[in-house]
Amino acid sequence: MLASLGDPYTRFLSPAEFSKMARYDMTGIGINLREIPDDNGVMKLKVLGLILDGPAHSAGVRQGDELLSINGVDVKGKSAFEASSMLQGPSETFVNVMVKHGNCGPVQSIRVQRQSIAKSPVFYRLEQVKNSSSPVGYVRLKEFNALARKDMLTAMKRLQDMGASYFVLDLRDNLGGLVQAGIEIAKLFLNKGETVTYTVGRDPLSVKNIVAETSPLFSAPIIVLVNKNTASASEIVATALHDNCKAVLVGERTYGKGLIQSVFELNDGSGVVVTIGKYVTPKHMDINGNGVDPDFRNLPAWNEVTRYLSTCQRPQEG
């Protein structure tokens, strides 16, 4: 019945699957799987992306690897969601995954320790730019977890105190996470009343806008680095800053995932995950399935950035 909706993200959860999703001590290994057909039409599970320095990445799993088995169980014929559920378990326990590196690379068995402890997703440093007296603050945001806003705020303030007059926000390979964390981070840079994102419900006329409630804490020009694995909450932040003329986007077209989902429990302990809406950029562009194109493919000079932002047209409200 759910398949008839034509939405791959709306799905049924058995009681066991729903229980796993509901338990706070259940966690995975930080990978994003996708079903990809080979030349013969046979579906294979490929690692679309990894959380940088997450459990799988640290253990040796790489982007593009094919997942062959989990704890000795062949995953052939299983969906990405089924495989992801098999990877989940209590924090600090181990799971054995068999992967094939690349299309024809070696097969490797890797033991990965599950983690649920929120680690700081922020890395930052001050960089001196050639032919410039003003240093640049570089901030890499790996994922949007419970610590993201607090650590982002700390990093930006420290870099500002160290003399940074421009900033580079690196969202490459950031697959998302807590959407609310992304929204709160975007608000750090927006003027009061500016739109972070719109949410559109099942009824196209049911549109709500999420706006910044206070003045921005940071107003310096920003370069946001993006690539094909910049997804979900990352795309919300990137487009909020871009559309409100606070930042330019540099790199590759983003992934294109902007769905709002709710989880409902049924009487027998099973559940359903249902897509109930989507996020739309301040300039009314649908992220989902489209992604966002960058302004520059390669890193521009800062005078190009300031010139671009000075001619940027802000979105019309409504």
Side-chain angles (χ1 to χ4, degrees):
M1 182 177 69
L2 295 177
S4 68
L5 297 174
D7 173 21
Y9 299 102
T10 293
R11 57 192 185 272
F12 174 78
L13 303 175
S14 68
E17 291 169 334
F18 185 84
S19 176
K20 282 185 179 182
M21 178 174 278
R23 284 172 57 185
Y24 290 106
D25 64 341
M26 303 304 289
T27 183
I29 59 173
I31 65 173
N32 190 358
L33 296 171
R34 174 180 273 187
E35 301 154 39
I36 298 177
D38 64 13
D39 294 338
N40 298 317
V42 178
M43 298 302 293
K44 294 184 175 182
L45 289 178
K46 292 290 190 80
V47 177
L48 172 69
L50 304 96
I51 293 176
L52 193 67
D53 298 327
H57 183 261
S58 298
V61 179
R62 293 293 174 258
Q63 184 174 326
D65 284 357
E66 179 186 350
L67 181 63
L68 302 176
S69 69
I70 301 170
N71 285 334
V73 179
D74 190 343
V75 296
K76 186 176 181 180
K78 295 188 181 297
S79 68
F81 179 71
E82 288 173 319
S84 296
S85 297
M86 292 170 65
L87 291 170
Q88 292 181 334
S91 180
E92 309 303 322
T93 61
F94 288 86
V95 59
N96 290 300
V97 296
M98 184 84 74
V99 297
K100 183 168 76 171
H101 299 298
N103 290 326
C104 49
V107 172
Q108 183 181 5
S109 179
I110 301 176
R111 190 168 183 251
V112 187
Q113 187 176 29
R114 301 175 175 106
Q115 293 178 1
S116 62
I117 300 172
K119 293 185 176 181
S120 176
V122 176
F123 167 82
Y124 66 95
R125 65 174 180 261
L126 192 70
E127 292 193 349
Q128 200 66 44
V129 180
K130 289 181 180 180
N131 303 321
S132 174
S133 59
S134 302
V136 174
Y138 171 86
V139 182
R140 183 175 182 84
L141 185 55
K142 301 174 187 176
E143 63 173 320
F144 292 88
N145 64 15
L147 299 177
R149 183 193 181 278
K150 177 179 73 70
D151 290 356
M152 179 80 177
L153 183 60
T154 299
M156 293 289 294
K157 282 186 173 179
R158 286 180 180 174
L159 289 168
Q160 204 170 50
D161 291 343
M162 293 162 68
S165 54
Y166 302 94
F167 291 93
V168 173
L169 174 58
D170 193 346
L171 295 179
R172 292 174 298 180
D173 297 318
N174 185 327
L175 298 169
L178 301 176
V179 168
Q180 190 58 40
I183 290 171
E184 294 305 318
I185 284 174
K187 289 179 180 179
L188 297 174
F189 303 92
L190 301 186
N191 298 325
K192 184 177 180 179
E194 288 183 331
T195 296
V196 177
T197 186
Y198 291 99
T199 62
V200 181
R202 195 167 299 225
D203 177 0
L205 298 178
S206 174
V207 178
K208 296 179 181 178
N209 68 325
I210 299 171
V211 301
E213 300 92 357
T214 58
S215 300
L217 293 179
F218 308 103
S219 56
I222 303 167
I223 286 176
V224 179
L225 303 181
V226 296
N227 67 4
K228 62 183 180 181
N229 291 319
T230 300
S232 192
S234 291
E235 291 173 293
I236 291 174
V237 172
T239 55
L241 271 56
H242 175 267
D243 287 8
N244 286 291
C245 304
K246 307 296 183 183
V248 298
L249 306 184
V250 178
E252 306 171 348
R253 177 182 290 190
T254 63
Y255 181 78
K257 185 175 189 291
L259 298 178
I260 307 169
Q261 294 179 294
S262 287
V263 181
F264 301 94
E265 184 175 8
L266 304 179
N267 291 336
D268 64 350
S270 62
V272 288
V273 179
V274 181
T275 299
I276 60 171
K278 59 186 177 181
Y279 294 100
V280 176
T281 73
K283 288 188 176 178
H284 302 280
M285 194 192 90
D286 186 355
I287 298 171
N288 198 62
N290 298 311
V292 182
D293 285 319
D295 302 305
F296 301 91
R297 293 288 173 181
N298 300 308
L299 208 60
W302 281 106
N303 62 348
E304 289 184 76
V305 174
T306 52
R307 185 165 58 246
Y308 186 95
L309 294 177
S310 68
T311 59
C312 171
Q313 291 191 342
R314 298 179 184 277
Q316 294 182 351
E317 298 300 322

